[in-house]
């Protein structure tokens, strides 16, 4: 007769089953949620420039997305700590839906301030999407934490790449529906956000964070799932590395549609949509690879790989700012560098933080990341007007150097 499974073995098997289901649900939700984000990244700067009449204000669109995420990151993290990830993620979907409706209204009435309000609300919804990557680590064991996180980030590829690619067909649909110019692709975003809301509400059960908190309090889980040692120095470096990489990516990416509009004025939507789609693929498409690397060669080593990719992107953009092919390649490398640093940094933050402290530090990380990027996007518009696209890339390179120089402190921590 086969011996009965021990309670520890049975508990571990149940955790593994719940984790697999959680990753699948989060991945599907990221596919749907990424469509609105991808459309906003592509159209935000163009809508802002059109409604304001000033290209220098185009960076306010990306800044507003990141500002909305910054304002809601900590409140959503606190809500998740009390009520679970499911409630926080569905609330994020509602914010995004309201934001899309406001953006369409603003474009119809040609009200620039109202556009900013709508984009801020879409950014608030994106705070929920950002929280999904941490939700993927709530029940992950040490050997798969980076891989599971990378899988959920990778799922964003489908929606986030589809968003920019839907610009041209979206305009055709928008014209049929009587929508304002440059807002047609948001019709697809509305459907996707509603589907994501229903998915999280019905399928994210049991809640991964509430389950992890129960296991930590009861002591039922193995050490691979529950972090018992707090490493605040490493956690602070992880927050800085993720925020710095995000500022570099968001600042340069925010100004790229405006720069490309000057390089290809006769094919703006096609060129911008294709370039941003490749950039977003770089952000999310390689994330499983970086997740595996983070598990095998280490979190900090993978963060350093991300900084190398970011540096290569910025140097290329600085050397050949007026070559459209060079800009496209630079944007792809920019996304890949962001992906490596974000996946490895999020894994490092999670495993450097006690389970009970995770939602708070994760909320702080997202707030610092998004608020810094909001400021960076605004300043990027001014830098672009002052010293051009190549100069903007060189300014961003300073942050990459800072993240690299501080890495030894994290190792000692």
């Amino acid at each position: 007769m086969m011996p009965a499974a021990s309670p520890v073995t049975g508990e571990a098997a149940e955790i593994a089953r719940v984790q697999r289901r959680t990753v699948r649900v989060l991945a599907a939700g990221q596919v749907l949620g990424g469509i609105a984000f991808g459309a906003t990244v592509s159209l935000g700067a163009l809508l802002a420039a059109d409604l304001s009449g000033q290209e220098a204000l185009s960076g306010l669109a990306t800044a507003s997305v990141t500002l909305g995420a910054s304002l809601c990151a900590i409140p959503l993290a606190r809500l998740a700590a009390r009520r679970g990830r499911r409630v926080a993620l569905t609330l994020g979907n509602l914010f995004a839906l309201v934001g899309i409706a406001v953006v369409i209204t603003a474009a119809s009435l040609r009200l620039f301030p109202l556009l900013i309000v709508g984009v801020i609300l879409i950014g608030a919804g994106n705070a929920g999407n950002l929280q999904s990557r941490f939700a993927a680590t709530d029940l992950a064991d040490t050997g798969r934490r980076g891989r599971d996180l990378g899988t959920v980030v990778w799922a964003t590829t489908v929606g986030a790449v589809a968003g920019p690619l839907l610009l041209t067909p979206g305009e055709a649909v928008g014209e049929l529906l009587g929508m304002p110019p440059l807002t047609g692709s948001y019709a697809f975003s509305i459907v996707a956000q509603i589907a994501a809301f229903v998915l999280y509400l019905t399928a994210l059960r049991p809640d991964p964070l509430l389950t992890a908190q129960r296991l930590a309090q009861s002591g039922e889980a193995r050490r691979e799932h529950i972090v018992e040692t707090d490493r605040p120095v490493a956690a602070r470096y992880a927050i800085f590395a993720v925020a710095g990489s995000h500022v570099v990516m968001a600042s340069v990416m925010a100004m790229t549609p405006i720069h490309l509009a000057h390089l290809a004025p006769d094919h703006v939507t096609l060129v911008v949509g294709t370039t941003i789609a490749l950039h977003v693929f770089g952000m999310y498409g390689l994330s499983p690879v970086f997740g595996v690397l983070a598990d095998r060669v280490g979190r900090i080593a993978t963060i350093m790989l991300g900084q190398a990719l970011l540096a290569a992107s910025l140097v290329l953009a600085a050397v050949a700012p007026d070559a459209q092919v060079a800009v496209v390649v630079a944007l792809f490398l920019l996304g890949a560098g962001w992906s490596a640093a974000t996946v490895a940094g999020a894994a490092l933050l999670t495993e450097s933080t006690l389970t009970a402290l995770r939602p708070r530090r994760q909320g702080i990380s997202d707030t610092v990341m998004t608020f810094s990027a909001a400021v960076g996007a605004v300043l990027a518009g001014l830098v672009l007007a002052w010293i051009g696209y190549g100069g903007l890339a060189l300014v961003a390179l300073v942050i990459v150097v800072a993240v690299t120089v501080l890495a030894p402190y994290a190792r000692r921590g």
Side-chain angles (χ1 to χ4, degrees):
M1 180 181 296
M2 295 294 292
S6 67
V8 174
T9 303
E11 183 68 39
E14 178 62 17
I15 293 174
R17 185 192 68 80
V18 172
Q19 174 65 4
R20 288 193 298 270
R21 175 182 173 82
T22 297
V23 170
R24 288 195 298 268
V25 172
L26 292 172
Q30 287 297 88
V31 169
L32 298 168
I35 293 177
F37 174 70
T40 302
V41 166
S42 300
L43 293 173
L46 298 175
L47 278 169
D50 178 45
L51 297 186
S52 69
Q54 301 181 51
E55 289 189 353
L57 297 179
S58 59
L60 284 178
T62 300
S64 298
V65 171
T66 51
L67 178 62
S70 176
L71 292 174
C72 286
I74 290 178
L76 284 179
R78 289 176 176 172
L79 180 63
R82 296 193 305 269
R83 303 287 301 277
R85 300 287 190 191
R86 181 169 60 89
V87 174
L89 292 177
T90 52
L91 181 59
N93 287 129
L94 288 177
F95 282 142
L97 279 169
V98 174
I100 292 169
V102 172
V103 165
I104 295 172
T105 303
S108 177
L109 300 176
R110 298 197 62 77
L111 294 175
F112 178 68
L114 187 61
L115 171 71
I116 297 303
V117 172
V119 175
I120 287 174
L121 287 170
I122 293 176
N126 194 45
N129 285 342
L130 291 173
Q131 196 177 108
S132 293
R133 72 192 194 283
F134 290 124
T137 67
D138 287 333
L139 293 173
D141 63 51
T142 303
R144 288 190 58 92
R145 188 166 288 131
R147 185 177 304 180
D148 287 351
L149 194 154
T151 298
V152 171
V153 174
W154 172 86
T156 311
T157 307
V158 180
V161 171
L165 291 179
L166 288 173
L167 294 187
T168 301
E171 284 304 292
V173 172
E175 186 176 352
L176 290 175
L177 297 176
M179 298 175 67
L182 298 176
T183 64
S185 61
Y186 280 121
F188 303 121
S189 300
I190 292 173
V191 175
Q193 287 294 332
I194 292 174
F197 175 84
V198 174
L199 175 70
Y200 287 139
L201 192 64
T202 59
L204 197 61
R205 299 171 183 271
D207 189 279
L209 181 56
L210 296 182
T211 302
Q213 291 173 340
R214 175 182 62 79
L215 293 172
Q217 292 172 356
S218 66
E220 298 173 30
R222 298 181 300 172
R223 297 174 67 92
E224 299 90 82
H225 297 95
I226 304 301
V227 176
E228 297 178 319
T229 302
D230 194 37
R231 296 187 293 152
V233 174
R236 285 195 291 270
Y237 174 76
I239 292 173
F240 176 70
V242 170
S245 302
H246 192 68
V247 169
V248 171
M249 184 278 296
S251 299
V252 177
M253 179 269 296
M255 293 300 101
T256 299
I258 300 301
H259 181 63
L260 289 174
H262 291 297
L263 295 181
D266 297 330
H267 307 282
V268 174
T269 57
L270 178 61
V271 172
V272 171
T274 302
T275 302
I276 297 300
L278 289 173
H279 166 69
V280 174
F281 177 77
M283 289 176 65
Y284 303 117
L286 298 177
S287 56
V289 176
F290 295 130
V292 171
L293 282 175
D295 287 337
R296 293 186 178 180
V297 306
R299 318 305 192 201
I300 296 178
T302 307
I303 292 174
M304 291 300 96
L305 173 60
Q307 302 314 299
L309 291 169
L310 289 173
S313 166
L314 297 173
V315 170
L316 181 59
V319 171
D322 296 326
Q324 186 176 319
V325 174
V327 173
V328 171
V329 174
L331 261 287
F332 173 77
L333 292 174
L334 190 74
W338 175 90
S339 180
T342 299
V343 170
L348 177 63
L349 175 61
T350 297
E351 65 190 20
S352 301
T353 304
L354 293 172
T355 301
L357 298 177
R358 278 185 195 173
R360 177 176 176 272
R361 280 191 187 162
Q362 289 165 350
I364 292 173
S365 177
D366 283 346
T367 297
V368 172
M369 176 184 76
T370 50
F371 181 76
S372 300
V375 174
V378 172
L379 295 178
L382 301 176
V383 173
L384 181 70
W386 176 38
I387 54 178
Y389 191 74
L392 173 63
L394 291 177
V395 171
L397 192 59
V398 175
I399 301 175
V400 174
V401 173
V403 174
T404 303
V405 168
L406 291 176
Y409 294 95
R411 290 192 175 94
R412 285 198 287 270

